[in-house]
Amino acid sequence: MLTTLGAVPDPAPRSPKAEQTRTAIAEAAMRLFRAEGYDRTTMRAIAREAGVSVGNAYYYFGSKEHLVQAFYDRMQVEHAAAAERVLAEERTFEARLRGVLLAWLDVARPHHAFAGQFFRNAADPASPLSPFSPESAPAREASVAVFEQVVAGSDLKVAAGLRRELPELLWLAQMGVVLFWVYDTSPDQQRSRVLVERVVPVVDRLARLSRLPVVRGVVDDVVGLVGALRAP
Amino acid sequence: MLTTLGAVPDPAPRSPKAEQTRTAIAEAAMRLFRAEGYDRTTMRAIAREAGVSVGNAYYYFGSKEHLVQAFYDRMQVEHAAAAERVLAEERTFEARLRGVLLAWLDVARPHHAFAGQFFRNAADPASPLSPFSPESAPAREASVAVFEQVVAGSDLKVAAGLRRELPELLWLAQMGVVLFWVYDTSPDQQRSRVLVERVVPVVDRLARLSRLPVVRGVVDDVVGLVGALRAP
DNA sequence: GCGAAGTTTTGAACACGTTCAAGACGGTCG
DNA sequence: CGACCGTCTTGAACGTGTTCAAAACTTCGC
């Protein structure tokens, strides 16, 4: 989810002066979130740090939650860049998938402490920060596109029906990794790395087995399921 | 998760009078949550409805979140009872699993509207309402026990390594269903029913395939993974 | 320059969850 | 009965996110 939360423009600033104020507020928020955590950072403190009034912060950002999206966007961009480096290097599906998932963990590591705090908001289906919300559709699609690259540039051959759904399924798997990571209290979230290291071979084997006649039935079930659940 | 959140005793009331006050507060909260939703129900309103002061509500319940646990407990008990009825009827693994999962949807249906609102809290790893928190360990174990029954009383034969982990894996699958349900906006959450109807056969087939030599490798991987992730 | 129509900025005010010092109650022992 | 002690209850007060009417500033046609 954290990968996928999109930019909501809020009132697009008209003058360059306004743009300056806007980024001043966003950056003050960043600094304080990083230093103090989400909950312990107050809107008043953000305004003070940015040298504006609290009302002004609300002029640019609809809520405290909205200030988090800048954070998300930065992470998303960083991850996309890191993923690109991985995909230029690796050719096997297994290595590409592992690399992309581990890259996310690398990008996210410095932010683990407060991630849980605003993850709470992302988990609210009604929140614009939810990975399934319309607001985050662009970022979500960008993220699915990365996994499309993971598959497209690889040596993997899978059943045709599965092939179409695979990028989205991998994105879902990544959401699973994120969920696990949020709950991961091991030092430096090493456990999440273990999770990736061990889940990736399983996914690889499952995908390759998908062309086996015995397994075919299950695969069709899964694909049908995903299809049935997508459309309204 | 909603199944699994356990009772935190708070200060156990000493006198019957106190017990009366405590339940008055809990029931007032129930009524208002049901009528107005979680967010729009204020602690002041709960206290007024219960005929006590706001400070008194905090004497019995550490926070607004804690008031939700009574809700969870009620659902957990209802679900356990419903599950028992199903398990008395059905013998095949598939039917037992389906019945238990659908029973949860039945129990939960009236509460869908506000479930999302407090699910936000449950998703916070630091919250006592999180399904992985120590506070909810008892309820979680009770819920895993239900799935142990699902397997134990059935016709299912699976690989030995998997057999041990299966109840917990099924519990995790149920958490997945809950997650889906929370996000489900279809009328009466019919989509969640479809999910269950279609996922259960897949799980059944996968479990039975687990003894096949080709699939065996994947199964061992999964089991090893779960084991590796459990201990600190 | 001048006034009008935006745009940006302000800070007091609101409602909420939560805390806490103080008091009321209820049983028990001398 | 009376003084005491732990349980229970109160409501004012605090700090928070958020709102809003008003003020300041900017831009532009005239």
Side-chain angles (χ1 to χ4, degrees), chain A residues 41-98:
Chain A
T41 301
T42 76
M43 289 301 284
R44 285 164 179 80
I46 293 171
R48 187 162 5 98
E49 172 94 2
V52 300
S53 73
V54 48
N56 203 5
Y58 277 93
Y59 179 75
Y60 289 105
F61 300 92
S63 74
K64 193 179 173 186
E65 286 187 23
H66 281 78
L67 277 164
V68 171
Q69 288 193 316
F71 213 84
Y72 287 152
D73 291 345
R74 188 170 295 189
M75 266 180 59
Q76 144 85 18
V77 170
E78 273 187 62
H79 179 231
E84 202 173 350
R85 283 194 296 278
V86 169
L87 296 180
E89 284 286 322
E90 305 288 353
R91 286 270 73 88
T92 72
F93 173 69
E94 194 174 350
R96 287 163 81 84
L97 181 59
R98 186 196 341 267

Short mmCIF file of all heavy atoms in Angstrom, two decimals, chain A residues 41-98:
data_model
loop_
_atom_site.label_atom_id
_atom_site.label_comp_id
_atom_site.label_asym_id
_atom_site.label_seq_id
_atom_site.Cartn_x
_atom_site.Cartn_y
_atom_site.Cartn_z
N THR A 41 3.81 14.64 16.26
CA THR A 41 3.98 15.89 15.52
C THR A 41 2.62 16.59 15.41
O THR A 41 1.69 16.02 14.85
CB THR A 41 4.55 15.63 14.12
OG1 THR A 41 5.80 14.98 14.24
CG2 THR A 41 4.72 16.93 13.37
N THR A 42 2.53 17.80 15.92
CA THR A 42 1.25 18.50 15.87
C THR A 42 1.22 19.47 14.69
O THR A 42 2.27 19.92 14.20
CB THR A 42 1.02 19.31 17.15
OG1 THR A 42 1.82 20.50 17.12
CG2 THR A 42 1.38 18.50 18.39
N MET A 43 0.02 19.76 14.26
CA MET A 43 -0.14 20.71 13.16
C MET A 43 0.43 22.07 13.55
O MET A 43 0.98 22.79 12.72
CB MET A 43 -1.61 20.84 12.79
CG MET A 43 -2.18 19.62 12.09
SD MET A 43 -1.36 19.21 10.54
CE MET A 43 -2.01 20.47 9.44
N ARG A 44 0.29 22.42 14.82
CA ARG A 44 0.84 23.69 15.28
C ARG A 44 2.35 23.71 15.15
O ARG A 44 2.96 24.71 14.75
CB ARG A 44 0.41 23.92 16.73
CG ARG A 44 -1.05 24.33 16.88
CD ARG A 44 -1.53 24.18 18.32
NE ARG A 44 -2.93 24.58 18.50
CZ ARG A 44 -3.98 23.82 18.20
NH1 ARG A 44 -3.81 22.61 17.70
NH2 ARG A 44 -5.21 24.26 18.40
N ALA A 45 2.97 22.58 15.49
CA ALA A 45 4.43 22.51 15.38
C ALA A 45 4.87 22.60 13.92
O ALA A 45 5.85 23.29 13.61
CB ALA A 45 4.93 21.21 16.00
N ILE A 46 4.14 21.93 13.06
CA ILE A 46 4.48 22.00 11.63
C ILE A 46 4.40 23.44 11.14
O ILE A 46 5.30 23.94 10.46
CB ILE A 46 3.53 21.09 10.81
CG1 ILE A 46 3.78 19.62 11.15
CG2 ILE A 46 3.72 21.33 9.32
CD1 ILE A 46 2.76 18.66 10.57
N ALA A 47 3.31 24.10 11.51
CA ALA A 47 3.13 25.49 11.07
C ALA A 47 4.27 26.36 11.62
O ALA A 47 4.87 27.15 10.88
CB ALA A 47 1.78 26.01 11.55
N ARG A 48 4.59 26.21 12.88
CA ARG A 48 5.66 26.99 13.48
C ARG A 48 6.97 26.75 12.75
O ARG A 48 7.65 27.68 12.33
CB ARG A 48 5.78 26.64 14.97
CG ARG A 48 6.75 27.52 15.72
CD ARG A 48 6.54 27.46 17.26
NE ARG A 48 5.54 26.50 17.70
CZ ARG A 48 5.81 25.27 18.15
NH1 ARG A 48 7.07 24.84 18.22
NH2 ARG A 48 4.84 24.48 18.56
N GLU A 49 7.30 25.46 12.54
CA GLU A 49 8.53 25.10 11.85
C GLU A 49 8.59 25.70 10.44
O GLU A 49 9.66 26.08 9.97
CB GLU A 49 8.64 23.56 11.77
CG GLU A 49 9.77 23.03 10.92
CD GLU A 49 11.04 22.73 11.72
OE1 GLU A 49 11.02 22.90 12.96
OE2 GLU A 49 12.04 22.35 11.09
N ALA A 50 7.43 25.77 9.80
CA ALA A 50 7.41 26.32 8.44
C ALA A 50 7.29 27.84 8.45
O ALA A 50 7.36 28.48 7.39
CB ALA A 50 6.25 25.71 7.66
N GLY A 51 7.08 28.43 9.62
CA GLY A 51 6.96 29.88 9.72
C GLY A 51 5.65 30.43 9.19
O GLY A 51 5.60 31.54 8.66
N VAL A 52 4.59 29.63 9.31
CA VAL A 52 3.28 30.10 8.86
C VAL A 52 2.26 29.84 9.97
O VAL A 52 2.60 29.27 11.01
CB VAL A 52 2.82 29.38 7.58
CG1 VAL A 52 3.81 29.63 6.46
CG2 VAL A 52 2.64 27.90 7.84
N SER A 53 1.03 30.25 9.72
CA SER A 53 -0.02 29.97 10.70
C SER A 53 -0.62 28.60 10.44
O SER A 53 -0.50 28.06 9.34
CB SER A 53 -1.11 31.03 10.60
OG SER A 53 -1.88 30.81 9.44
N VAL A 54 -1.27 28.08 11.46
CA VAL A 54 -1.86 26.75 11.31
C VAL A 54 -2.95 26.74 10.25
O VAL A 54 -3.07 25.78 9.47
CB VAL A 54 -2.38 26.24 12.67
CG1 VAL A 54 -3.22 27.30 13.35
CG2 VAL A 54 -3.19 24.97 12.50
N GLY A 55 -3.71 27.82 10.18
CA GLY A 55 -4.74 27.91 9.15
C GLY A 55 -4.15 27.82 7.75
O GLY A 55 -4.75 27.24 6.85
N ASN A 56 -2.98 28.36 7.60
CA ASN A 56 -2.34 28.35 6.29
C ASN A 56 -1.98 26.93 5.87
O ASN A 56 -2.13 26.56 4.70
CB ASN A 56 -1.08 29.21 6.34
CG ASN A 56 -0.69 29.69 4.96
OD1 ASN A 56 -1.39 29.46 3.98
ND2 ASN A 56 0.44 30.37 4.87
N ALA A 57 -1.53 26.13 6.80
CA ALA A 57 -1.24 24.73 6.48
C ALA A 57 -2.48 24.05 5.93
O ALA A 57 -2.40 23.27 4.97
CB ALA A 57 -0.73 24.01 7.72
N TYR A 58 -3.63 24.38 6.51
CA TYR A 58 -4.87 23.77 6.06
C TYR A 58 -5.35 24.34 4.73
O TYR A 58 -6.20 23.76 4.08
CB TYR A 58 -5.95 23.91 7.13
CG TYR A 58 -5.83 22.84 8.18
CD1 TYR A 58 -5.11 23.07 9.34
CD2 TYR A 58 -6.42 21.60 8.00
CE1 TYR A 58 -4.98 22.08 10.30
CE2 TYR A 58 -6.30 20.61 8.95
CZ TYR A 58 -5.58 20.86 10.10
OH TYR A 58 -5.45 19.88 11.04
N TYR A 59 -4.82 25.50 4.39
CA TYR A 59 -5.17 26.05 3.07
C TYR A 59 -4.56 25.17 1.98
O TYR A 59 -5.17 24.94 0.95
CB TYR A 59 -4.67 27.48 2.96
CG TYR A 59 -4.97 28.12 1.64
CD1 TYR A 59 -6.25 28.55 1.33
CD2 TYR A 59 -3.97 28.29 0.69
CE1 TYR A 59 -6.54 29.13 0.12
CE2 TYR A 59 -4.24 28.88 -0.53
CZ TYR A 59 -5.52 29.29 -0.82
OH TYR A 59 -5.81 29.88 -2.03
N TYR A 60 -3.37 24.65 2.23
CA TYR A 60 -2.69 23.85 1.21
C TYR A 60 -2.94 22.36 1.35
O TYR A 60 -2.92 21.63 0.35
CB TYR A 60 -1.18 24.14 1.26
CG TYR A 60 -0.84 25.52 0.74
CD1 TYR A 60 -0.50 26.54 1.62
CD2 TYR A 60 -0.90 25.79 -0.62
CE1 TYR A 60 -0.21 27.80 1.13
CE2 TYR A 60 -0.62 27.05 -1.11
CZ TYR A 60 -0.27 28.06 -0.23
OH TYR A 60 0.00 29.30 -0.70
N PHE A 61 -3.14 21.91 2.56
CA PHE A 61 -3.34 20.47 2.77
C PHE A 61 -4.62 20.23 3.57
O PHE A 61 -4.77 20.76 4.67
CB PHE A 61 -2.14 19.87 3.50
CG PHE A 61 -0.85 20.03 2.74
CD1 PHE A 61 -0.04 21.13 2.96
CD2 PHE A 61 -0.48 19.10 1.79
CE1 PHE A 61 1.15 21.28 2.25
CE2 PHE A 61 0.70 19.25 1.07
CZ PHE A 61 1.51 20.35 1.30
N GLY A 62 -5.50 19.47 2.97
CA GLY A 62 -6.82 19.29 3.55
C GLY A 62 -6.83 18.71 4.94
O GLY A 62 -7.76 18.92 5.71
N SER A 63 -5.79 17.98 5.30
CA SER A 63 -5.75 17.36 6.62
C SER A 63 -4.32 16.94 6.91
O SER A 63 -3.44 16.99 6.03
CB SER A 63 -6.67 16.16 6.69
OG SER A 63 -6.09 15.08 5.98
N LYS A 64 -4.11 16.50 8.12
CA LYS A 64 -2.79 16.01 8.49
C LYS A 64 -2.41 14.80 7.65
O LYS A 64 -1.26 14.63 7.25
CB LYS A 64 -2.80 15.65 9.99
CG LYS A 64 -1.44 15.42 10.60
CD LYS A 64 -1.55 15.10 12.08
CE LYS A 64 -0.21 14.71 12.67
NZ LYS A 64 -0.34 14.25 14.08
N GLU A 65 -3.41 13.97 7.37
CA GLU A 65 -3.15 12.80 6.52
C GLU A 65 -2.59 13.20 5.16
O GLU A 65 -1.71 12.53 4.63
CB GLU A 65 -4.44 12.00 6.29
CG GLU A 65 -4.92 11.21 7.47
CD GLU A 65 -6.10 10.32 7.10
OE1 GLU A 65 -6.25 9.99 5.92
OE2 GLU A 65 -6.87 9.96 8.01
N HIS A 66 -3.16 14.27 4.61
CA HIS A 66 -2.73 14.65 3.27
C HIS A 66 -1.25 15.00 3.23
O HIS A 66 -0.62 14.89 2.19
CB HIS A 66 -3.56 15.84 2.78
CG HIS A 66 -4.91 15.45 2.27
ND1 HIS A 66 -5.95 15.16 3.12
CD2 HIS A 66 -5.39 15.27 1.02
CE1 HIS A 66 -7.01 14.84 2.40
NE2 HIS A 66 -6.70 14.89 1.13
N LEU A 67 -0.73 15.42 4.36
CA LEU A 67 0.70 15.74 4.40
C LEU A 67 1.56 14.50 4.22
O LEU A 67 2.74 14.59 3.87
CB LEU A 67 1.05 16.42 5.72
CG LEU A 67 0.76 17.92 5.75
CD1 LEU A 67 0.76 18.45 7.16
CD2 LEU A 67 1.79 18.65 4.90
N VAL A 68 0.97 13.35 4.47
CA VAL A 68 1.73 12.11 4.37
C VAL A 68 1.94 11.72 2.91
O VAL A 68 2.90 11.03 2.56
CB VAL A 68 0.99 10.99 5.12
CG1 VAL A 68 1.62 9.65 4.85
CG2 VAL A 68 0.99 11.29 6.60
N GLN A 69 1.07 12.19 2.05
CA GLN A 69 1.15 11.73 0.66
C GLN A 69 2.44 12.16 -0.01
O GLN A 69 2.97 11.42 -0.84
CB GLN A 69 -0.06 12.22 -0.11
CG GLN A 69 -1.30 11.46 0.31
CD GLN A 69 -2.43 11.66 -0.62
OE1 GLN A 69 -2.70 12.78 -1.04
NE2 GLN A 69 -3.13 10.59 -0.96
N ALA A 70 2.95 13.31 0.36
CA ALA A 70 4.24 13.72 -0.18
C ALA A 70 5.28 12.65 0.15
O ALA A 70 6.13 12.30 -0.68
CB ALA A 70 4.64 15.06 0.41
N PHE A 71 5.18 12.15 1.35
CA PHE A 71 6.05 11.07 1.79
C PHE A 71 5.91 9.85 0.88
O PHE A 71 6.90 9.30 0.38
CB PHE A 71 5.63 10.69 3.21
CG PHE A 71 6.76 10.25 4.06
CD1 PHE A 71 7.55 11.17 4.72
CD2 PHE A 71 7.06 8.91 4.19
CE1 PHE A 71 8.61 10.77 5.50
CE2 PHE A 71 8.11 8.51 4.97
CZ PHE A 71 8.89 9.43 5.63
N TYR A 72 4.68 9.42 0.70
CA TYR A 72 4.42 8.28 -0.16
C TYR A 72 5.01 8.49 -1.55
O TYR A 72 5.65 7.61 -2.12
CB TYR A 72 2.92 8.04 -0.28
CG TYR A 72 2.30 7.45 0.95
CD1 TYR A 72 0.97 7.70 1.26
CD2 TYR A 72 3.02 6.63 1.80
CE1 TYR A 72 0.37 7.16 2.37
CE2 TYR A 72 2.44 6.09 2.93
CZ TYR A 72 1.11 6.36 3.20
OH TYR A 72 0.53 5.82 4.31
N ASP A 73 4.73 9.66 -2.10
CA ASP A 73 5.17 9.93 -3.46
C ASP A 73 6.68 9.79 -3.56
O ASP A 73 7.20 9.16 -4.49
CB ASP A 73 4.74 11.34 -3.86
CG ASP A 73 3.24 11.43 -4.02
OD1 ASP A 73 2.59 10.37 -4.10
OD2 ASP A 73 2.71 12.55 -4.03
N ARG A 74 7.38 10.33 -2.58
CA ARG A 74 8.83 10.25 -2.61
C ARG A 74 9.28 8.77 -2.61
O ARG A 74 10.12 8.37 -3.39
CB ARG A 74 9.40 10.99 -1.39
CG ARG A 74 10.90 11.11 -1.43
CD ARG A 74 11.42 12.03 -0.35
NE ARG A 74 10.98 13.41 -0.52
CZ ARG A 74 11.44 14.43 0.19
NH1 ARG A 74 12.34 14.22 1.13
NH2 ARG A 74 11.00 15.66 -0.03
N MET A 75 8.66 7.98 -1.74
CA MET A 75 9.03 6.57 -1.66
C MET A 75 8.74 5.85 -2.97
O MET A 75 9.54 5.04 -3.44
CB MET A 75 8.27 5.89 -0.52
CG MET A 75 9.06 5.87 0.77
SD MET A 75 8.14 5.07 2.10
CE MET A 75 7.84 3.46 1.43
N GLN A 76 7.59 6.15 -3.55
CA GLN A 76 7.19 5.50 -4.80
C GLN A 76 8.22 5.79 -5.89
O GLN A 76 8.65 4.88 -6.61
CB GLN A 76 5.80 6.01 -5.20
CG GLN A 76 5.55 6.19 -6.68
CD GLN A 76 5.13 4.89 -7.33
OE1 GLN A 76 4.70 3.96 -6.66
NE2 GLN A 76 5.27 4.81 -8.64
N VAL A 77 8.63 7.04 -5.99
CA VAL A 77 9.61 7.41 -7.02
C VAL A 77 10.94 6.71 -6.77
O VAL A 77 11.53 6.11 -7.68
CB VAL A 77 9.80 8.95 -7.03
CG1 VAL A 77 10.98 9.33 -7.91
CG2 VAL A 77 8.53 9.63 -7.49
N GLU A 78 11.36 6.72 -5.50
CA GLU A 78 12.62 6.05 -5.17
C GLU A 78 12.57 4.57 -5.53
O GLU A 78 13.53 4.00 -6.05
CB GLU A 78 12.90 6.19 -3.66
CG GLU A 78 13.64 7.45 -3.27
CD GLU A 78 14.02 7.40 -1.79
OE1 GLU A 78 14.78 6.50 -1.40
OE2 GLU A 78 13.52 8.25 -1.02
N HIS A 79 11.42 3.95 -5.21
CA HIS A 79 11.32 2.51 -5.47
C HIS A 79 11.33 2.22 -6.96
O HIS A 79 11.99 1.28 -7.41
CB HIS A 79 10.06 1.93 -4.84
CG HIS A 79 9.89 0.46 -5.09
ND1 HIS A 79 8.75 -0.09 -5.58
CD2 HIS A 79 10.76 -0.57 -4.95
CE1 HIS A 79 8.90 -1.40 -5.72
NE2 HIS A 79 10.12 -1.72 -5.35
N ALA A 80 10.62 3.04 -7.73
CA ALA A 80 10.59 2.83 -9.17
C ALA A 80 12.01 2.90 -9.73
O ALA A 80 12.40 2.07 -10.57
CB ALA A 80 9.69 3.87 -9.84
N ALA A 81 12.78 3.86 -9.26
CA ALA A 81 14.16 4.00 -9.74
C ALA A 81 14.99 2.79 -9.36
O ALA A 81 15.73 2.23 -10.18
CB ALA A 81 14.77 5.28 -9.16
N ALA A 82 14.86 2.37 -8.12
CA ALA A 82 15.63 1.21 -7.65
C ALA A 82 15.24 -0.04 -8.44
O ALA A 82 16.09 -0.85 -8.81
CB ALA A 82 15.40 1.00 -6.16
N ALA A 83 13.94 -0.18 -8.70
CA ALA A 83 13.46 -1.34 -9.44
C ALA A 83 14.05 -1.36 -10.85
O ALA A 83 14.46 -2.41 -11.35
CB ALA A 83 11.93 -1.32 -9.51
N GLU A 84 14.12 -0.19 -11.44
CA GLU A 84 14.67 -0.11 -12.80
C GLU A 84 16.10 -0.62 -12.83
O GLU A 84 16.49 -1.37 -13.73
CB GLU A 84 14.60 1.35 -13.27
CG GLU A 84 14.65 1.49 -14.78
CD GLU A 84 14.40 2.93 -15.22
OE1 GLU A 84 14.02 3.75 -14.34
OE2 GLU A 84 14.59 3.24 -16.39
N ARG A 85 16.88 -0.25 -11.85
CA ARG A 85 18.27 -0.72 -11.79
C ARG A 85 18.31 -2.25 -11.70
O ARG A 85 19.10 -2.91 -12.38
CB ARG A 85 18.99 -0.11 -10.59
CG ARG A 85 19.40 1.35 -10.81
CD ARG A 85 20.40 1.82 -9.75
NE ARG A 85 19.84 1.83 -8.41
CZ ARG A 85 19.09 2.81 -7.91
NH1 ARG A 85 18.80 3.87 -8.66
NH2 ARG A 85 18.63 2.75 -6.69
N VAL A 86 17.43 -2.80 -10.86
CA VAL A 86 17.39 -4.25 -10.73
C VAL A 86 17.03 -4.91 -12.06
O VAL A 86 17.68 -5.87 -12.50
CB VAL A 86 16.37 -4.67 -9.65
CG1 VAL A 86 16.12 -6.16 -9.70
CG2 VAL A 86 16.84 -4.22 -8.28
N LEU A 87 16.02 -4.37 -12.71
CA LEU A 87 15.50 -5.01 -13.92
C LEU A 87 16.50 -4.91 -15.07
O LEU A 87 16.46 -5.72 -16.01
CB LEU A 87 14.16 -4.38 -14.30
CG LEU A 87 13.05 -4.61 -13.26
CD1 LEU A 87 11.75 -3.97 -13.71
CD2 LEU A 87 12.85 -6.09 -13.00
N ALA A 88 17.38 -3.94 -15.03
CA ALA A 88 18.42 -3.84 -16.05
C ALA A 88 19.47 -4.94 -15.87
O ALA A 88 20.11 -5.38 -16.82
CB ALA A 88 19.08 -2.46 -16.00
N GLU A 89 19.61 -5.39 -14.64
CA GLU A 89 20.66 -6.37 -14.31
C GLU A 89 20.21 -7.81 -14.51
O GLU A 89 20.96 -8.64 -15.02
CB GLU A 89 21.06 -6.20 -12.82
CG GLU A 89 21.92 -4.99 -12.54
CD GLU A 89 23.35 -5.21 -13.03
OE1 GLU A 89 23.85 -6.35 -12.90
OE2 GLU A 89 23.94 -4.24 -13.56
N GLU A 90 18.99 -8.11 -14.06
CA GLU A 90 18.58 -9.51 -13.91
C GLU A 90 17.67 -9.96 -15.04
O GLU A 90 16.86 -9.18 -15.55
CB GLU A 90 17.84 -9.69 -12.57
CG GLU A 90 18.62 -9.22 -11.36
CD GLU A 90 19.78 -10.16 -11.04
OE1 GLU A 90 19.88 -11.22 -11.69
OE2 GLU A 90 20.59 -9.82 -10.15
N ARG A 91 17.79 -11.24 -15.40
CA ARG A 91 16.95 -11.76 -16.48
C ARG A 91 15.97 -12.83 -15.98
O ARG A 91 14.88 -12.94 -16.52
CB ARG A 91 17.82 -12.37 -17.59
CG ARG A 91 18.53 -11.32 -18.47
CD ARG A 91 17.71 -10.89 -19.69
NE ARG A 91 16.59 -10.02 -19.39
CZ ARG A 91 16.65 -8.68 -19.31
NH1 ARG A 91 17.76 -8.05 -19.51
NH2 ARG A 91 15.56 -8.00 -19.05
N THR A 92 16.33 -13.62 -14.98
CA THR A 92 15.39 -14.65 -14.54
C THR A 92 14.27 -14.01 -13.74
O THR A 92 14.46 -13.03 -13.02
CB THR A 92 16.08 -15.70 -13.65
OG1 THR A 92 16.36 -15.12 -12.38
CG2 THR A 92 17.36 -16.21 -14.29
N PHE A 93 13.09 -14.63 -13.89
CA PHE A 93 11.92 -14.12 -13.17
C PHE A 93 12.19 -14.07 -11.68
O PHE A 93 11.90 -13.08 -11.00
CB PHE A 93 10.73 -15.03 -13.48
CG PHE A 93 9.51 -14.72 -12.66
CD1 PHE A 93 8.81 -13.53 -12.86
CD2 PHE A 93 9.06 -15.61 -11.69
CE1 PHE A 93 7.68 -13.25 -12.10
CE2 PHE A 93 7.94 -15.33 -10.93
CZ PHE A 93 7.25 -14.14 -11.13
N GLU A 94 12.79 -15.13 -11.17
CA GLU A 94 13.02 -15.23 -9.73
C GLU A 94 13.88 -14.06 -9.25
O GLU A 94 13.54 -13.38 -8.27
CB GLU A 94 13.70 -16.56 -9.41
CG GLU A 94 13.68 -16.88 -7.93
CD GLU A 94 14.24 -18.28 -7.65
OE1 GLU A 94 14.45 -19.06 -8.60
OE2 GLU A 94 14.47 -18.57 -6.47
N ALA A 95 14.97 -13.81 -9.92
CA ALA A 95 15.88 -12.75 -9.49
C ALA A 95 15.25 -11.38 -9.62
O ALA A 95 15.45 -10.49 -8.78
CB ALA A 95 17.17 -12.82 -10.30
N ARG A 96 14.50 -11.19 -10.68
CA ARG A 96 13.85 -9.89 -10.89
C ARG A 96 12.84 -9.61 -9.80
O ARG A 96 12.81 -8.51 -9.22
CB ARG A 96 13.17 -9.87 -12.27
CG ARG A 96 14.15 -9.77 -13.42
CD ARG A 96 13.51 -10.16 -14.74
NE ARG A 96 12.71 -9.10 -15.36
CZ ARG A 96 13.21 -8.14 -16.12
NH1 ARG A 96 14.51 -8.07 -16.32
NH2 ARG A 96 12.43 -7.24 -16.66
N LEU A 97 12.02 -10.62 -9.50
CA LEU A 97 11.01 -10.42 -8.47
C LEU A 97 11.66 -10.18 -7.11
O LEU A 97 11.31 -9.23 -6.38
CB LEU A 97 10.09 -11.65 -8.40
CG LEU A 97 8.95 -11.57 -7.37
CD1 LEU A 97 8.05 -10.37 -7.65
CD2 LEU A 97 8.13 -12.86 -7.37
N ARG A 98 12.63 -11.00 -6.78
CA ARG A 98 13.31 -10.82 -5.50
C ARG A 98 13.92 -9.42 -5.40
O ARG A 98 13.75 -8.71 -4.41
CB ARG A 98 14.41 -11.87 -5.33
CG ARG A 98 15.07 -11.84 -3.96
CD ARG A 98 16.40 -12.57 -3.89
NE ARG A 98 16.62 -13.52 -4.96
CZ ARG A 98 16.32 -14.81 -4.92
NH1 ARG A 98 15.84 -15.33 -3.83
NH2 ARG A 98 16.54 -15.58 -5.96
#
